[in-house]
Amino acid sequence: MRISEYVSFDAVGLAELMATGEVTPAEVEAAAREAAQLVDPHINALVETWPADDAPRPGSTPLAGVPFLIKDIAVAMAGRRMELGSRLAQGNVAGADSSLMRRFRRAGLVTFGRTTTPEMAYSITTEPLLYGATRNPWDLERSAGGSSGGAGAAVAAGVVPIAHATDAAGSLRIPAACNGLFGLKPTRGRVSMGPGADEVFNGLAVHGSVSRTVRDSAVLLDLIRGPEPGDPYFAQEPSRPYAQEVTRPPGRLRIGVLTQAWGGRRTSPPVADALSRTVRLLESLGHQAVEAEVDLGADWEEFVLATARLMTANLTAQVDEVAAAFGRPVDSSTLEAPTLAGYRYGQRVSGAEFVTALAIRNRVARSLARYFDTHDMLLTPTLPELPVPLGAYAEGAQALDGLGWIDRLNDSSPFTMAFNVAGTPAMSVPVTADAGTGLPIGMQFAAGYGREGLLFRLAGQLEQASPWSGRIPTVWAGSPPRTGHETRADQGGC
């Protein structure tokens, strides 16, 4: 199978080719490995690859035989390293598959490597000291986002059509936006975090994926959703498979539009323009898009403080566990400055402060639920600006304490965290691109608890109305690397 053929198919398409015998799983896997060899020297999205040990029967699942990559955190594959992007966990080898890994195997995916993550997934750019910066395939001097930046860059560059990702503060949607991909953060409790944890970051974190097509994400979520024994709670199962929702009309939706973020961060002109074009597209499809004022349920400062306390306290416990397992010190020799600052801040969070933070989480969830009583969705930019230059988030980081770092992350991505706190689903859709640079711009759509089906319906409609598959990044496995910001399609999108 030629590389140019391989990259022209999404995951479902590749699986269909294998099911009909037009290509073999070995040929598809070889193409994926060749794609990785071609592009990864430019983007540094992969920590490592390995000989795949799965051999699913073609046609046994909708994704049987599809090459796949897992993130270097949160999912354990027996006998493979999971180093959390950190020197503290360097050399860590998983003793057994996690629940999600078992589901990836049952889904028929052929996992052959792991993707980069910032240390402990504690940033929205992927530039860990352990294995260096991951570069955006659209512009190698810019961030690929984080914390699932390796997954985003690898999928955008054509290594695989879909990859595992996680999202605790936007970590799935941000790389989707930066790399021109589709990414849906599921409802809290949709995908099990077991057996090593009942919930991560007190329910802020979820598993998901980034993909080039909507249907790939829908099919994979169908294959991995549902509870495991011992889960403390789970989201109600959908009435029909998400794969079927992608082709169903969404009906006329009432969609609130939030142009400027909570906390006062201003949306940059290119992103505001992209949002206006998205609103016009929605209206042309018959939807009602109305300016919205959305009560977050807490003052911005309260919100940032609560998320800082929840995240740093959880981080401290994780760091202590890893340090004890390897007998390593917790200092600048093992942790980067933002992580170490978060660790020290988390040590000082009291039990009462932690419970107060959980109360803020509840207030945010209740307030957003009231909004979704009167609106089908909320539309925001995924990010308030174009992908930032590499190194931008590190400027002055040495001087920040744990609260200061979380404040920086919330200021840089002010639209995403609220839906992690509330536990509601949200997706980033690459509806359009910046007319000046060709860089992708993601639009975020959020819906009420358990309403992924409605999001998939709208995403499928948008994919048909404003296709993004023709937009090709500078670094693309299907063609020689190019320079500059040119693309092969109308850069203005919708």
Side-chain angles (χ1 to χ4, degrees):
M1 186 178 205
R2 295 193 300 271
I3 291 291
S4 59
E5 296 174 314
Y6 169 74
V7 298
S8 69
F9 289 93
D10 66 357
V12 172
L14 288 172
E16 289 172 347
L17 289 178
M18 288 180 277
T20 58
E22 294 181 56
V23 295
T24 67
E27 290 172 321
V28 174
E29 182 184 342
R33 292 184 182 278
E34 185 179 350
Q37 292 169 358
L38 284 171
V39 302
D40 199 54
H42 302 282
I43 59 175
N44 190 37
L46 305 181
V47 182
E48 65 172 331
T49 60
W50 51 70
D53 56 6
D54 293 297
R57 178 174 56 83
S60 57
T61 78
L63 296 179
V66 172
F68 194 66
L69 298 167
I70 55 175
K71 189 177 176 181
D72 187 32
I73 196 168
V75 58
M77 185 177 187
R80 299 298 176 191
R81 292 190 180 191
M82 181 179 63
E83 297 172 304
L84 319 180
S86 178
R87 293 165 294 169
L88 186 67
Q90 194 166 8
N92 177 55
V93 176
D97 283 353
S98 62
S99 299
L100 180 61
M101 191 65 231
R102 292 196 298 270
R103 293 191 181 207
F104 284 153
R105 292 186 193 273
R106 290 200 297 267
L109 296 165
V110 177
T111 302
F112 72 100
R114 58 188 168 119
T115 60
T116 56
T117 178
E119 184 172 65
M120 304 286 182
Y122 205 61
S123 180
I124 59 173
T125 186
T126 304
E127 304 176 44
L129 289 178
L130 182 61
Y131 31 66
T134 296
R135 297 178 179 272
N136 191 316
W138 294 87
D139 181 342
L140 296 177
E141 299 305 312
R142 294 181 185 258
S143 170
S147 63
S148 304
V155 173
V159 178
V160 289
I162 187 170
H164 167 244
T166 64
D167 195 315
S171 293
L172 179 162
R173 289 158 288 158
I174 292 167
C178 290
N179 295 283
L181 303 174
F182 177 78
L184 183 142
K185 179 197 84 69
T187 292
R188 181 182 297 150
R190 180 68 67 206
V191 180
S192 176
M193 307 300 291
D198 56 359
E199 57 182 17
V200 176
F201 288 124
N202 295 102
L204 271 64
V206 296
H207 286 294
S209 63
V210 289
S211 61
R212 294 200 296 271
T213 65
V214 175
R215 69 173 183 174
D216 278 358
S217 284
V219 168
L220 180 57
L221 187 54
D222 278 331
L223 293 169
I224 64 173
R225 60 179 163 83
E228 288 282 337
D231 284 352
Y233 52 78
F234 58 91
Q236 183 178 353
E237 288 291 276
S239 59
R240 64 178 61 83
Y242 293 130
Q244 294 179 13
E245 300 284 16
V246 175
T247 56
R248 295 186 74 228
R252 187 173 189 263
L253 302 177
R254 179 175 169 80
I255 302 173
V257 181
L258 188 66
T259 304
Q260 305 299 338
W262 301 286
R265 172 64 187 269
R266 305 301 294 176
T267 299
S268 67
V271 176
D273 175 68
L275 180 63
S276 296
R277 283 184 276 147
T278 302
V279 168
R280 291 196 296 271
L281 175 63
L282 291 169
E283 290 173 339
S284 74
L285 295 171
H287 302 299
Q288 181 186 17
V290 295
E291 285 289 332
E293 292 185 8
V294 184
D295 180 8
L296 188 59
D299 293 338
W300 183 248
E301 292 76 14
E302 280 186 300
F303 178 83
V304 172
L305 180 60
T307 57
R309 285 171 171 170
L310 291 175
M311 297 190 80
T312 60
N314 279 274
L315 174 70
T316 298
Q318 182 183 28
V319 166
D320 281 340
E321 181 181 4
V322 175
F326 288 95
R328 290 172 178 160
V330 179
D331 56 28
S332 59
S333 71
T334 56
L335 292 180
E336 299 171 28
T339 317
L340 186 58
Y343 172 81
R344 290 170 175 163
Y345 188 89
Q347 288 180 309
R348 300 191 299 272
V349 175
S350 71
E353 289 170 338
F354 190 80
V355 171
T356 299
L358 291 175
I360 297 294
R361 183 190 69 171
N362 178 63
R363 281 165 49 189
V364 171
R366 304 295 178 177
S367 185
L368 290 180
R370 287 192 294 272
Y371 166 82
F372 288 120
D373 280 341
T374 57
H375 296 76
D376 295 302
M377 290 186 192
L378 178 65
L379 165 63
T380 78
T382 306
L383 290 167
E385 59 187 337
L386 299 175
V388 300
L390 289 168
Y393 294 139
E395 294 178 5
Q398 295 279 352
L400 297 175
D401 67 359
L403 174 59
W405 179 250
I406 297 299
D407 183 45
R408 174 172 290 191
L409 298 186
N410 273 297
D411 181 68
S412 301
S413 181
F415 294 105
T416 53
M417 174 77 88
F419 305 106
N420 296 89
V421 174
T424 53
M427 63 182 181
S428 182
V429 185
V431 180
T432 186
D434 176 40
T437 64
L439 292 169
I441 298 176
M443 290 292 122
Q444 177 178 242
F445 294 85
Y449 192 90
R451 302 206 73 189
E452 290 97 325
L454 185 62
L455 290 173
F456 276 123
R457 274 181 251 161
L458 179 63
Q461 184 185 55
L462 292 172
E463 188 176 31
Q464 292 296 312
S466 182
W468 52 80
S469 61
R471 301 187 203 132
I472 304 300
T474 301
V475 177
W476 173 244
S479 62
R482 295 171 283 124
T483 59
H485 307 295
E486 65 189 295
T487 65
R488 295 181 181 177
D490 174 17
Q491 296 175 340
C494 70

